[in-house]
């Protein structure tokens, strides 16, 4: 994915004069934001309410009920272990959604801190950090994730760590550039002359000014994070059985593609819908928060 | 638009593969990539079947473990059991024209034991008998440091296939890409991770007698297409892009054989079957009662039903059906009995509160591991996890890549893990149950057992050997250090037009006697 | 006025050099030095407004920033009330800085767009640990002093015009009760009509708070209006320094003459012909030998290339660095 | 210009070294003994294991292993794959063409489709075709390629057996993998092209040309499209990397040979030298592709060259 070169955002989008509710309402007039939010909210509601929607335990095996096609009892069929697919898809959604969110949040925090330090300190430290960032960026992300999970061992937490590490350089580069730019602005000099130390300058002047770029970036990368975390699950390096997760469920299903299409189709549809929703939301938020890159 | 671009690209890549086979040409859907085609340096079981078509061994082992003449016409064993004299056929030449004789056998043995040869399975098979001497132009004598009963059967494993001394000399480290044997098929080409092509050896005329086939193979060319993804392998076979497929996943075996359109070849891979060693040095399975509870809690038949559509016969004892010493009566030893399992846990001092078992503040927690890339291990481990959870175990599952999996189990960090071991002789047990072996994954030893294993190895009388291995199996099961899961079969399917595919004892598909109906 | 070094100097700059680059592993990197300020010696007297003029890139802004220690001098000293600012670090530097403030050129970017005016003006007080009640009182007082209203305190910078923002910047500087203020082109980004308002405000504040200004600008008429004395910089050096009236009436350096001749309407007033300078300003990476101005000077002779003219007091209180000045 | 090229090349070399060191370290952090991995569960008695460890040079210190590896690399020797018992260079030679074929086909498809959707959407801005095109772009960006691949197999290789299930390098084998790989990147390309066409349309000379009374089509072909060449180049530069990393998943789903699968297998089996070599090559291709793209800019846009 391309990294949108966002400038330290202009403040005009977040005019303080308009009360919050008004700006939220205005934002939702944006079609894709509204549609994306709707999709995400519905999906979130479904996975949160999973216990109300299905009585099955997603891990409960049943030797008598393997590979059942969708029916009234099992609306999405059952899998190789006779587990109810609907329960697995709904409970699995919780894992996928939270994991994606955790990935971007962790990546954003670590990347932003690194970028702030590199951009503000400059010099040898900044140079070292940024060359490391270049190194990580010069390598296809999914391969890096593979290597990291190979080191840490498979598992959901390790998968989340691996993928957030991939996001770190992306954020670091964005924030470093923005920090350097803001660092050179007179209001930072003014703060220094007023006696502010580096940490105070970073926290009160630079961070708030790069935040909107970071948020825009986060919405763009949330979808990518979901794609990667599920890809890891699909390769078998994500969550460990019997815990359900959309990528892992798809992995279970792929071996039986022609015999049990429901094992592949349902989780895939949910996953795609989720990513579409997230991307729509991201597009909308970007337009609303960062008018400079809207066309 | 791509159609115009593609031929050019293909030409550039120089990789034009013909996907479909013509008459008398066979495409085999193969499940695993090869490390080498050098029988001496391979460490992979699944290379064996390909090797057995390129290389002949001194003896042939039938699927029922009868040892027959192949490159050796006859042999004698000295009374002390330390000397084997093989009389060799005199009409055999290697694919490169080098004549096969006693000197060639000696070269092979010297190559296997050579300091710079990265020998793997082969070196282990020779055991203490790795000394060969040409005692005539066509007579070779093996001497052993100690009595080694498994030798004769193991001589028939493809990892001891005879290679051309000229090729050994010429290719050095590259020998694995230029296999030259005396077998019914000659090596043509090998594209790594894609395909291996063999063609008929027109001079072949020394097939093992029990196969009932004279002269060269009927099939002109075999292409082993390497398709690790089981789903793809099945699709390829169903659509006619291959005529033979190995390692058919259970569920597909069930549906495809039900159609009656294909020939079923459940190739029996001998050895210890599929089993899970139970770690007797790790809490809580360091308690024999907990181990026994596990044995009662797992229902092999239902496990196979869950993990592999019920297509495999279960196993109840370490040694495979048909092997020397296989214990027919083991089935009744640990019937599926969850109540019995629970009472054993109670007896061991565990208390059940309806969801979890606790003892001295600890929960009854076990760690089940499996190799992440192997679907059947993953499924078996999950099924075991299901059975143990059923009676209240806190059963954790962890999938690991192969090196990490080996590491963890060698270190004793996992409670149980499905595994397999292949061998043609019951002495295979020694790898898993002698102290100081890497694969003593039960992490358990017993002096009586150790003695018996050594006795079994040096006993030449079949009846007495069988009795020794009966006893060994009793000890293993009584101590509940191994959970047998199922027979190890390579579920091979062939198109009805292909007949005569067989396998050598141990489970190595053999195409020398196969033919394709027009 | 007597000596160049005066007893009542608030800031004494001695041979100050600010260089960029010149570091690195390669010889070519080490040779690549930008001499932004290259040996300036200057006193700023308590209570005066010293104007500093020159073309862009002459180092006048860098000099101003160096006085605030926003740039690190490579050599020389800056004595502020007797303490050397050039070598101070950490807490010592922060203590020294308390009495010095700066007003920036660009009213758009000198205020943090994410902060309300109240926070902007109070920032220095917060850092200094002034209690909230006192802080609020001082901020409210200041906003009125600079001619804005209290209700403006709860707005964001983008809601103000350029002139208003500059007033806010001034209020922020004044909040620290400085003795010395560097005004770095404070009006050049403003409309002409607003410029005089801000200049008047600065003058008024100087009177009421007893401030000392270093007023940096390239607009000579603005400088003439506000300054007591004026210094002219060229290629990182101070080339002429005199009382405002004296300098504007009798410039000694050919460079100053050329600058002055370019002031609009001056031709009509004085009858002097406008002097058009030939060529570009030489690069501060590679300044000419001898007199830095000789490459563009119509009076340049061979001697100008050989020796560098030092700043000398040609007439009382009028200093210039030119071989021909007398 | 020359010093620019030299500088970039030096940066690529430095990058390659950085990555090689990083990978070397990372690999050795992965738990597991490569010697045991070679032997699997077959016949590994302790003597065989120790003998093999010595033969493979794995009993030496890490530093000396790295130095040996680097030394061999300078002589153009990538070393020997433990797992596949042949020179790594041979493995790469055997797998690279398939990856190249897949990536090139996918790149071609992806740019072409992206161009088509992007241009149509830009020309019909804010109309139904635009909404539809951009909706499609977003959907394609969102659908995971591993799932899309499975669906394509289900539809076009199983239900209607038009193409091969096993992705060989023949025409019937490459179509589905290439389509799967391409579709994931089409969305980005379409959006990028759309916005560049839109911004090209508002440029002065285009407006002037239109004012001169040239037909829409002429203006489009002569001015707008030509100015879109640069964005296409940018897209190619960005997508080479994305497609390369996408091959990992696609090669797995379609059982295709290739560098991605070679690398994954090698990582999972701790085949050190293979991993090191493949990583190095992928990184160099990645950096090299961007380098070539950057070199092409001045050729297409004289304004950049002059700068």
């Amino acid at each position: 994915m391309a990294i949108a070169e966002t400038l330290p955002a202009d403040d005009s989008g977040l005019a303080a004069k308009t009360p919050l509710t008004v700006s939220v309402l205005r934002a939702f007039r944006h079609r894709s934001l509204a549609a994306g939010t709707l999709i995400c909210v519905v999906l979130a509601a479904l996975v949160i309410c999973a216990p109300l929607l299905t009585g099955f335990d997603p891990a409960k095996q049943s030797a008598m009920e393997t590979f059942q096609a969708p029916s009234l009892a099992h609306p999405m069929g059952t899998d190789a272990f006779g587990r109810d697919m609907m329960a697995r898809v709904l409970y699995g959604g919780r894992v996928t959604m939270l994991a994606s969110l955790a990935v971007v949040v962790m990546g954003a925090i670590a990347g932003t801190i690194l970028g702030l330090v590199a951009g503000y300190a400059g010099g040898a430290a900044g140079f070292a950090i940024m060359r490391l960032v270049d190194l990580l960026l010069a390598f296809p992300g999914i391969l890096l994730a593979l290597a990291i999970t190979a080191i840490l061992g498979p598992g959901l937490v390790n998968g989340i760590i691996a993928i957030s590490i991939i996001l770190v350089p992306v954020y670091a580069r964005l924030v470093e550039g923005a920090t350097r730019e803001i660092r050179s602005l007179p209001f930072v000099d003014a703060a220094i002359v007023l006696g502010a130390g580096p940490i105070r300058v970073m926290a009160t002047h630079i961070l708030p000014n790069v935040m909107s770029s970071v948020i825009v970036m986060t919405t763009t990368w949330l979808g990518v994070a979901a794609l990667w975390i599920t890809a890891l699950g699909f390769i078998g390096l994500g969550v460990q059985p019997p815990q359900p997760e959309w990528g892992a469920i798809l992995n279970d299903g792929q071996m039986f593609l022609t015999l049990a299409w429901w094992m592949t189709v349902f989780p895939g549809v949910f996953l795609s819908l989720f990513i579409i929703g997230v991307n729509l939301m991201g597009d909308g938020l970007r337009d609303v928060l960062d008018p400079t890159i809207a066309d | 638009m791509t159609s115009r671009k593609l031929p050019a690209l293909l030409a550039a890549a120089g990789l034009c593969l013909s996907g479909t086979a013509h008459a008398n040409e066979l495409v085999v859907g193969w499940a695993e990539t090869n490390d080498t085609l050098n029988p001496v340096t391979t460490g992979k079981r699944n290379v064996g079947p390909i090797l057995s078509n390129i290389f002949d061994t001194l003896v042939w082992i039938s699927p029922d473990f009868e040892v027959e003449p192949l490159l050796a016409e006859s042999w004698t064993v000295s009374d002390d059991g330390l000397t084997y004299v093989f009389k060799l056929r005199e009409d055999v030449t290697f694919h490169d024209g080098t004549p096969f004789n006693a000197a060639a056998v000696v070269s092979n043995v010297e190559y296997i034991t050579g300091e710079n040869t990265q020998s793997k399975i082969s070196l282990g098979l020779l055991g203490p008998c790795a000394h060969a001497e040409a005692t005539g132009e066509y007579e070779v004598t093996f001497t052993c440091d100690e009595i080694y009963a498994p030798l004769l059967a193991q001589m028939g494993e493809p990892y001891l296939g005879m290679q051309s001394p000229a090729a050994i000399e010429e290719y050095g480290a590259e020998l694995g890409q230029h296999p030259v044997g005396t077998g019914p098929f000659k090596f043509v080409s090998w594209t790594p991770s894609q395909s291996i092509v063999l063609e008929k050896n027109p001079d072949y005329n020394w097939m093992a007698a029990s196969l009932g086939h004279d002269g060269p193979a009927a099939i002109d060319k075999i292409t082993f297409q390497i398709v690790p993804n089981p789903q793809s392998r099945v699709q390829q076979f169903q659509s006619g892009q291959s005529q033979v497929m190995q390692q058919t996943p259970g569920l597909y075996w069930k549906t495809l054989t039900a159609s009656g359109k294909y020939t079923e070849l459940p190739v029996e891979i001998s050895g210890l079957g599929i089993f899970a060693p139970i770690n007797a040095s790790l809490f809580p399975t360091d308690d024999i009662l907990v181990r026994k509870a596990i044995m009662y809690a797992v229902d092999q038949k239902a496990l196979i039903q869950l993990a592999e559509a019920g297509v495999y016969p279960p196993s109840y004892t370490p040694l495979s059906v048909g092997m020397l010493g296989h214990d027919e009566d083991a089935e009744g030893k640990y019937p599926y009995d969850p109540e019995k399992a629970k009472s054993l846990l109670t007896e061991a001092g565990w208390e059940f509160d309806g969801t979890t078992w606790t003892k001295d503040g600890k929960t009854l927690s076990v760690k089940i591991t499996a190799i992440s890339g192997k679907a059947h291990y993953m499924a078996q481990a999950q099924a075991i996890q299901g059975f143990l959870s059923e009676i209240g175990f806190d059963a954790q599952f962890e999938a690991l890549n192969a090196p990490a999996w080996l590491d963890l189990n060698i270190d004793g960090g996992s409670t149980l893990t499905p595994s397999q071991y292949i061998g043609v002789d019951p002495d295979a047990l020694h790898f898993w149950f002698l102290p100081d072996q890497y694969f003593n994954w039960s992490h358990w030893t017993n002096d009586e057992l150790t003695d018996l294993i050594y006795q079994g190895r040096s006993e030449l009388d079949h009846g007495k050997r069988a009795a020794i291995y009966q006893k060994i199996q009793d000890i293993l099961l009584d101590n509940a250090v191994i959970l047998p899961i199922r027979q190890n079969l390579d579920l091979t399917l062939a198109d009805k037009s292909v007949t005569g595919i067989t396998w050598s004892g141990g489970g190595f598909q053999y195409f020398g006697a196969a033919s394709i109906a027009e | 006025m007597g000596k160049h070094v005066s007893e009542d100097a608030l800031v004494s700059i001695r041979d100050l050099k600010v260089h960029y680059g010149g570091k690195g592993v390669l010889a070519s990197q080490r040779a690549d030095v930008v001499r932004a300020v290259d040996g300036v010696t200057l006193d700023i007297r308590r209570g005066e407004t010293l104007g500093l003029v020159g073309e862009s890139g002459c180092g006048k802004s860098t000099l101003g920033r160096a006085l605030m220690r926003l740039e690190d001098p490579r050599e020389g000293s800056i004595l502020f009330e007797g303490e050397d600012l050039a070598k101070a670090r950490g807490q010592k530097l922060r203590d020294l800085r308390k009495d010095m403030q700066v007003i920036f050129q660009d009213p758009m970017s000198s205020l943090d767009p994410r902060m309300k005016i109240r926070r902007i003006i109070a920032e220095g007080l917060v850092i200094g640990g002034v209690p909230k009640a006192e802080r609020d009182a001082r901020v409210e007082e200041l906003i009125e002093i600079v001619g804005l209203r209290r209700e403006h305190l709860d707005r964001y910078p983008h809601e103000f015009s350029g002139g208003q923002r500059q007033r806010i910047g001034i209020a922020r500087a004044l909040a620290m009760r400085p003795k010395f203020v560097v005004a770095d082109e404070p009006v050049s980004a403003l409309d002409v009509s607003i410029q005089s308002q801000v200049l008047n405000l600065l003058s008024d504040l100087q009177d009421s708070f007893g401030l000392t200004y270093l007023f940096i600008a390239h607009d000579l008429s603005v400088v003439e209006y506000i300054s007591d004395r004026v210094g002219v910089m060229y290629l990182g050096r101070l080339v002429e320094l005199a009382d405002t009236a004296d300098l504007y009436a009798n410039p000694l350096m050919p460079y100053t003459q050329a600058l002055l001749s370019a002031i609009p309407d001056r031709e009509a007033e004085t009858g002097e012909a406008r002097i058009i300078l030939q060529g570009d300003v030489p690069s501060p990476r590679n300044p000419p030998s001898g007199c830095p101005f000789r490459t563009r000077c119509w009076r340049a002779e061979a001697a100008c290339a050989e020796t560098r003219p030092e700043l000398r007091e040609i007439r009382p209180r009028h200093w210039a660095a030119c071989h021909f000045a007398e | 210009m020359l010093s620019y090229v030299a500088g970039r090349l030096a940066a690529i070399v430095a990058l390659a070294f950085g990555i090689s060191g990083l990978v070397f370290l990372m690999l050795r952090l992965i738990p597991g003994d490569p010697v045991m991995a070679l032997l699997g569960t077959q016949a590994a008695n302790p003597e065989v294991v120790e003998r093999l460890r010595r033969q493979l040079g794995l009993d030496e210190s890490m530093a000396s292993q790295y130095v040996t590896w680097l030394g061999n690399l300078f002589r153009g020797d990538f070393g020997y794959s433990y797992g596949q018992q042949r020179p790594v260079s041979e493995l790469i030679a055997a797998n690279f063409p398939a990856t190249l074929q897949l990536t090139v086909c996918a790149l071609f498809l992806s740019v072409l489709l992206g161009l088509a959707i992007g241009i149509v959407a830009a020309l019909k801005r804010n109309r139904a075709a635009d909404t539809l095109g951009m909706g499609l772009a977003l959907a394609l960006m969102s659908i995971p390629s591993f799932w899309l691949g499975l669906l394509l197999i289900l539809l076009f290789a199983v239900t209607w057996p038009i193409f091969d299930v096993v992705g060989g390098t023949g025409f019937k084998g490459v179509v589905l993998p290439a389509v799967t790989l391409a579709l994931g990147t089409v969305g980005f390309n379409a959006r990028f092209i759309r916005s560049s066409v839109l911004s090209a349309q508002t440029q002065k000379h285009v407006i002037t040309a239109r004012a001169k009374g040239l037909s829409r089509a002429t203006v489009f072909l002569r001015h707008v499209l030509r100015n879109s060449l640069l964005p296409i180049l940018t897209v190619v530069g960005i997508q080479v990397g994305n497609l390369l990393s996408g091959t990992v998943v696609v090669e797995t789903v379609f059982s295709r040979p290739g560098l991605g699968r070679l690398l994954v297998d090698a990582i999972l089996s701790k085949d050190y030298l293979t991993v090191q070599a493949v990583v190095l090559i992928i990184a160099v291709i990645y950096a090299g592709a961007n380098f070539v793209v950057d070199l092409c800019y001045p050729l297409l846009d004289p304004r950049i060259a002059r700068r």
Side-chain angles (χ1 to χ4, degrees), chain A residues 9-11 14 16-17 185-187 189-196 200 204-205 208-209 212, chain C residues 65 70 94 97 100-102 104 109-115 123-124 126-127 156 158 172 176:
Chain A
D10 177 286
D11 46 303
L14 287 179
K17 257 185 287 182
L185 292 177
F187 69 78
D189 287 338
I192 294 171
V193 173
L194 290 170
R200 187 184 173 88
T204 61
H205 292 285
N209 281 290
S212 67
Chain C
R65 292 173 59 81
L70 290 168
R94 252 167 272 156
R97 263 185 187 151
M100 321 170 61
Q101 280 303 311
V102 63
F104 293 96
S109 57
S110 62
L111 306 179
D112 187 337
R114 305 270 153 185
M115 281 190 181
E123 187 173 10
V126 173
I127 296 165
Y156 284 93
H158 65 87
R172 172 175 60 190
M176 301 303 287

Side-chain angles (χ1 to χ4, degrees), chain B residues 215-266:
Chain B
I219 289 170
D220 294 330
K221 184 176 158 197
I222 308 179
T223 303
F224 294 91
Q225 278 222 328
I226 296 154
V227 188
N229 183 331
Q231 159 75 20
S232 311
R233 201 160 61 245
V234 171
Q235 297 310 325
Q236 186 196 35
F237 179 70
Q238 272 187 298
S239 63
Q241 291 166 52
S242 67
Q243 291 78 49
V244 180
M245 153 176 69
Q246 72 155 178
Q247 296 189 16
T248 312
L251 187 67
Y252 287 100
W253 175 266
K254 199 169 159 186
T255 41
L256 291 177
T257 54
S259 74
K261 290 195 326 213
Y262 307 106
T263 308
E264 302 163 28
L265 291 157

Side-chain angles (χ1 to χ4, degrees), chain A residues 1-2 137-140 142-143 146 150-151 227 231 234 250 258 264 268-269 271-272 275-276 279-280 283 295, chain D residues 15 19 26 30-31 125 138 141-142 144 146-147 150 154 158 188 191 194 198 242 245 248 253 263-264 279 282 286:
Chain A
M1 291 295 126
L137 280 177
F139 202 66
I142 192 76
L143 291 180
L146 267 175
I151 293 173
L227 276 176
F234 182 76
L250 283 170
T258 48
T264 295
V269 167
L271 172 57
S272 300
I275 301 177
I276 288 174
N279 282 341
L280 279 170
D283 279 6
D295 55 90
Chain D
L15 187 83
I19 286 183
M26 279 174 78
I30 297 177
R125 191 180 181 192
L138 186 109
M141 278 170 82
S142 305
F146 50 89
W147 187 60
L150 292 177
L154 194 58
V158 176
F188 175 82
R191 290 168 153 219
R194 174 177 177 268
L198 283 181
N242 282 330
S245 81
V248 175
V253 170
L263 181 61
V264 173
V279 162
I282 290 182
Y286 193 96

Side-chain angles (χ1 to χ4, degrees), chain B residues 19-189:
Chain B
T20 50
H22 306 287
N24 270 335
E25 292 187 6
L26 202 60
V27 176
V28 181
W30 205 246
E32 292 175 39
T33 52
N34 284 17
D35 52 356
T36 174
L37 288 176
N38 180 344
V40 173
T41 60
T42 185
K44 288 192 159 189
R45 200 230 62 107
N46 211 43
V47 178
I50 297 175
L51 297 177
S52 73
N53 289 286
I54 305 174
F55 299 98
D56 286 325
T57 41
L58 293 185
V59 299
W60 168 262
I61 319 172
S62 74
D64 318 321
F65 299 97
E66 294 300 326
V67 181
E68 291 180 44
L70 185 53
L71 289 179
E73 282 178 322
S74 64
W75 54 89
T76 53
V77 186
S78 67
D79 293 340
D80 61 4
L82 291 175
T83 312
Y84 291 74
V85 179
F86 292 90
K87 288 251 182 286
L88 306 178
R89 288 184 74 111
E90 301 186 5
D91 56 346
V92 178
T93 50
F94 287 99
H95 299 153
D96 62 358
T98 312
F100 171 76
N101 52 29
V105 178
V106 173
S107 304
N108 271 278
V109 174
E110 282 170 355
Y111 174 63
I112 293 171
T113 54
E115 190 49 37
N116 295 317
T117 313
Q118 295 170 12
S119 309
K120 300 200 179 83
I121 303 175
S122 53
L123 191 60
L125 293 179
L126 284 177
C129 307
H131 319 285
E133 200 186 335
T135 43
E137 197 184 350
Y138 293 101
E139 185 189 273
V140 65
T141 303
F142 281 78
T143 44
C144 306
D145 299 332
E146 53 195 80
I147 301 175
Y148 189 56
L151 181 69
L152 208 52
Q154 287 179 178
M155 279 285 185
E157 288 200 49
Y159 313 104
L160 291 180
M162 289 294 129
Q163 309 197 63
S164 159
I168 294 175
E169 187 75 24
E170 184 183 346
Y171 296 115
E174 317 272 282
L175 186 60
Q177 291 135 63
H178 304 277
V180 182
T182 63
F185 293 94
K186 293 202 278 194
F187 172 76
V188 177
S189 67

Side-chain angles (χ1 to χ4, degrees), chain A residues 59-64 66-67 80-83 88 149-155 235-237 240-242 251-260, chain B residues 229-231 234-235 238 249-252 255 302 305-307 309 372 375 378-380 382-387 390 395-401 404:
Chain A
K60 172 80 181 164
Q61 302 180 356
S62 170
M64 295 292 93
T66 57
F67 297 113
F81 292 93
R83 298 178 292 209
R88 289 187 72 70
T149 42
I151 293 173
L152 300 174
I235 299 173
L237 296 172
Q240 295 300 295
N251 183 30
D252 293 343
Q254 74 148 337
M255 228 180 100
F256 310 107
L257 186 58
T258 48
L259 293 174
Chain B
N229 183 331
Q231 159 75 20
V234 171
Q235 297 310 325
Q238 272 187 298
L251 187 67
Y252 287 100
T255 41
Q305 184 67 42
L306 278 173
S372 53
M378 292 281 288
Q380 287 155 2
Q382 286 184 66
I384 294 173
Q385 183 189 32
F387 284 116
E390 195 73 38
Q396 299 295 323
F397 174 86
E398 195 175 338
L400 296 159
N401 60 55

